[in-house]
Amino acid sequence: MSSPLLDVQSLHKSFGDQKILTDLSLQLNTGQRISIQGPSGCGKSTLLRILAGLEAADDGTISLTGKSANQAKRIVQQPWQRGIQMVFQDLGLWPTRTVLQHVVDVRKASGLSNPKAEGVKVLQQLGLSDFLSRRPGKLSGGEARRLAFARVMALEPKLILLDEAFSSLDPENREQGFAVLEQVLESTGAAVILVTHDPIEAERLGGTAYRMIEGKLACA
Amino acid sequence: MIAWLNTRSPRPWWALALLASLLAAWIPLAPILAPLVRVDRLAEMLDGRTALLLWRSIWMSTGAGLVAFLTGWPYAIIACRLRFPGAGIFKLLMPLPLLLPPLMVAQAWFGLTGMTGAWASVFTFGVCYAPLPALLTARSLQHQSASAHETALLIGPRFAISEMLRISFLPALIGACFAFLFAATDFAVPDYFATVGDLFHVYAAEIFGNSRNYDYTAGATSSLPLVLLGFLVLLGTANLQRRQMNFETMHGRTAAPLPLRSGRYLSLGICLVLLVVLLIAPLGRIVYETGMQGELSTRSWSEVSSAAFHDAVTRGRDDVIRTLSYSGLAGFLCLILAPLWAHLLLKSRSAWRLLLMIFLTLPLLVPSVALGFGSILMFNQPWLENFYNSIWLPALLVTGRFLPIAVWILAERMGRIPEAQEDAAALAGCGYLTRLFRYRLGPIRSAWWLTAGLVVAFGVRELDFAILLPAANQSAAVRYYNALHFSRDNFVAAYGLVLALILFLPVMLSAWWRNLQTKEA
Amino acid sequence: MARVPAPKSTFPNGNKLALRSLSRHGTGLATFPMMLRLSPALLLPLFLVACSGETPDLVVYCALDQDLSEPLIQEFETRTGLTVRTQFDVERNKTVGLVNRILAEAENNPHCDVFWNNEIAHTLRLQQAGLTLPYLSPSAEGIPASFRDADGHWTGFAARARVILYRTDADLPVPRKLDDFLDPTFAKHGAMAAPLTGTTLTNAAVMTEQRGRQEMLDWFSAVEAAGLHFGSGNADVMRRTQSGDFHWCFTDTDDAAKAIDAGYPVAVRYLEQGDGDTGALLIPNTLAILNSGKNVDAAKKFADFILSFETEARLAHSISRQIPLHAGALIPDGVGKPGKDFEMMDVDWVAVAASIGDLAIELQEAFVR
């Protein structure tokens, strides 16, 4: 039986005296979709950052396709070794790079083949081929969101983490955002974890829905 | 009166700021404005010799900007955004080289290496002004979106570092442009290296020589090329700054330093080498020179050094107090005027803004000896005698001359504060002063204090017009300069260290306090 | 109630909520608007106090090094009970700054009562501008006629000689007279200050008076071609000689004294510049009372004090080793004695002063490059 894509066991994390994650466990298979709901400050974003390797937990283990990624406080696999990409609420675009550079440079840096050709293909798929030489500051909100997803798509990750990536959007733009996400998931076959405070987003994503309660996950 | 102070309209306060600049800078400028624009007279002065001097100044200043860029830029990136042992200390010490008198640094490097000539000046200016690109780099990295940084980190550490380089390149370049400007108008450092080595001159020496002749307006005329060059560079940096602002935004989360595994000792090594060059070596040499003497002398190093420090404190104490008085007063005036000016610039349309910038900046670009003579001609009136002899005159001139630096820094910072904050305060009925100082300036008050501190530091270093004003004539800079050129090297070294310590302490204390507050937050 | 102008943008959740969140940023500056309102009350007394400073009894503009002149001025204050405001200059301005300042202030409101110069040419410039008051101080008796104005517009005292400072630890030739500089054997091991300011400029003006303008310019070109180094100032070429960069330099006795006192292996030779290559050039300090000064009596007392035997003796014993001009003055060891260590050359100082202004511009064009 193959290992799950993501296997989190008994994760603990505190900030000072405040316990954020308490004995949290989670499993995720290839292509699976998970949403995690909870109010602001409950630890959803912290969980994602630990999964991405951007922060260390206090205790617990994380494995990615059977290989240890986190062991208690130690980060075994660095963020760039995990095959995980993340889309933040503010999208995290790089202001000095053009739209084209956002996809081509990341493919080059990751050692992926045909960076330019594949990059242009991704941008065409997401309707950004008219903006190749523009910088993020000159894009509309929707275009910027598509660029963030294009970047993810260009990297062909195994797991995509969405940290309130659709929050503060009106229903129409949110729907457009999800349409883009569907394109990315179809193209990459990646699994996805979406954290949100909005149950509508969780419902739209589908898959398994959880709630974060007192640092643990419970089925919604 | 109270109602007037509570007015919601900014116009009376803007008028006050303009009036203050008129008094502090443009009235002293008035006698040299006509000579400054005498292009026909300048054409007579310009020949092969002066063109060569101008060219030498330009290439030397460009070299200085390059050295500042190549030392300050990597230092800031490594100290501020990479995690390695001692990074906090390197970050704390980053601004200090800017507070060392360039002449003292020149003396130190000559003593350490025997370097002389134009390249020695290039190097000295570069290391003195390296904090300019460093500080601007550090600030731009502070404004880097944490999510952008982390997204880059998910690609790889090299990609994350390349993103840091990209986002900090323009600010570092802006800092290098300021280093260029300061180097181009400085006469004292090239003059020093010309004294200890083969004779050479820069264009500032031509201006100085012309100012020293009986008709000092000749100095004003000959300064026009440097004034125009200064304006061009400032317009260029304003453009670069506008481009940079598109790349930066204020975010709630700041990016964390990049943890390094194998690279942390290399980072420590690079920072240490740079810090030695920028700060430790010159300071160490100056400490050594406090006790240095000839081979036939019978006194020990510590005897000579102690005597030098004793001399520095007893002979120079009154000058330091006097200097700090008028510079401190100038700093206080800038605390009031700089935010008003910065706000005025932000609210002005582009054509007006350009005119206002010229109005504000010209006093910084003309030779300061011209400002000194101008203030004698304008303020030396029988009915103004008490004012002319008081510390208010030098305080006013220091304010007028260095206010542009404070205004640029504040305008750039204030521009990042959303207007909605001020608008909300206006809707709630707050007066203009409250809106400006509480809601627009509030989030950036460390920058506000920094600008006042910079004006004080530049006031302490000012020499050329200070010597011409009764209350500033016996200043710390004058005593230092004279002692250096009268070869009282032990005293010079000790006095320079005392001055450096006085300037260092507030900066280090405030940086340490800010660090503590950031950690607590 | 005043009308609030319409905002450009609105805060989404209401102004009170906005202000509550904003005030987090403003707490440190909560009182500043109040402080700003109070600032006229803070600044006005400071302004009034600063502007109501005591009027001094005497104002002296002094070009001599502050460390040398200040103790003497303080002594004068102690003895007479008069308060003196002293204004100094930076070394690089070489008195021109003070003189230009006197001229600029004289246009509207002169301040200076006494000008104490460390050389002579610019003092004569003030006399030529009609700004000096004739006063024959009794203290000046005994000072040679060539070092004082017949009517007392200025008086010279405590001079520096133009000398060769040379290293004693090397066996290389050292010039004895000015034209030795033309010989590469001497020139390539020596240095002098560029004749742009100070005593070097004055020396160039003396040469002009002796030889003529073109000959003087040709002489400088020739010595440079012979290999003589030009430095920025007397102290600077002295420093390079003491550190061994040069074997000898052409400087002043006060700079030479510093190298000797600091323990370097150097000695002094008085350079013969006068007619027949005899006579060392002495450049005196000069004192002039200004006719626009407000404190003439105090100025005269000051002149009597500074021009006295005692002051010259103190300056002779100071680190600058200035040479007393009073006849019969007791000259300490280490200070050159006129008539014994050297002969003094005669100089027409009026002619020198008349040419120095134009000469400065011409030499700037020759040497600032």
Side-chain angles (χ1 to χ4, degrees), chain B residues 6 49 195 197 212 214 296 315 380 386 388 428 437 464 473-474 479 481-482 484-486 488, chain C residues 19 29 37 51 65-67 86 88 91-92 96 105 109 111 125 232 235 239-240 258 263 365 368:
Chain B
N6 272 330
R49 181 184 67 87
T195 67
R212 203 169 40 194
Y214 297 175
L296 299 181
R315 290 209 318 243
N380 181 37
N386 286 342
Y388 180 74
F437 284 96
D464 288 334
N473 177 266
Q474 293 178 42
R479 192 175 281 274
Y481 187 93
N482 279 342
L484 179 70
H485 280 275
F486 284 127
R488 280 192 287 280
Chain C
L19 285 178
L29 276 174
R37 292 184 194 115
C51 292
D65 184 8
Q66 186 177 356
D67 286 339
T86 317
F88 297 97
E91 196 268 354
R92 72 185 182 202
V96 181
E105 286 177 344
N109 186 25
H111 294 268
R125 186 181 150 207
S232 185
R239 202 188 279 123
R240 290 193 74 184
K258 289 187 195 101
E365 287 172 10
V368 175

Side-chain angles (χ1 to χ4, degrees), chain B residues 340-491:
Chain B
L340 294 171
W341 258 105
H343 201 233
L344 169 60
L345 286 179
L346 285 175
K347 295 291 190 183
S348 302
R349 290 172 203 270
S350 59
W352 271 115
R353 194 182 307 130
L354 184 64
L355 276 173
L356 287 171
M357 275 191 64
I358 293 172
F359 178 85
L360 183 68
T361 310
L362 188 62
L364 182 64
L365 298 177
V366 298
S368 64
V369 67
L371 272 182
F373 276 112
S375 64
I376 293 175
L377 291 174
M378 300 305 285
F379 292 119
N380 181 37
Q381 310 291 336
W383 56 281
L384 285 175
E385 179 148 349
N386 286 342
F387 167 73
Y388 180 74
N389 288 324
S390 74
I391 62 164
W392 276 90
L393 181 56
L396 210 62
L397 280 193
V398 169
T399 305
R401 184 162 173 85
F402 298 114
L403 184 64
I405 299 174
V407 172
W408 293 328
I409 293 172
L410 275 186
E412 192 266 340
R413 302 283 183 106
M414 280 168 73
R416 297 169 191 279
I417 308 295
E419 284 212 27
Q421 292 194 198
E422 193 187 331
D423 293 341
L427 283 172
C430 294
Y432 174 70
L433 292 182
T434 305
R435 293 198 319 263
L436 175 63
F437 284 96
R438 190 168 182 172
Y439 297 112
R440 205 75 195 258
L441 205 55
I444 54 165
R445 58 182 183 274
S446 60
W448 183 50
W449 287 110
L450 170 71
T451 58
L454 280 176
V455 168
V456 172
F458 282 113
V460 167
R461 281 156 55 155
E462 176 55 41
L463 183 65
D464 288 334
F465 69 66
I467 197 74
L468 295 170
L469 307 176
N473 177 266
Q474 293 178 42
S475 70
V478 170
R479 192 175 281 274
Y480 181 87
Y481 187 93
N482 279 342
L484 179 70
H485 280 275
F486 284 127
S487 276
R488 280 192 287 280
D489 293 338
N490 305 126
F491 170 84

Side-chain angles (χ1 to χ4, degrees), chain C residues 178-197:
Chain C
L178 261 184
D179 282 343
D180 283 346
F181 291 21
L182 295 164
D183 183 347
T185 319
F186 296 100
K188 64 186 179 191
H189 300 294
M192 66 175 287
L196 297 171
T197 59

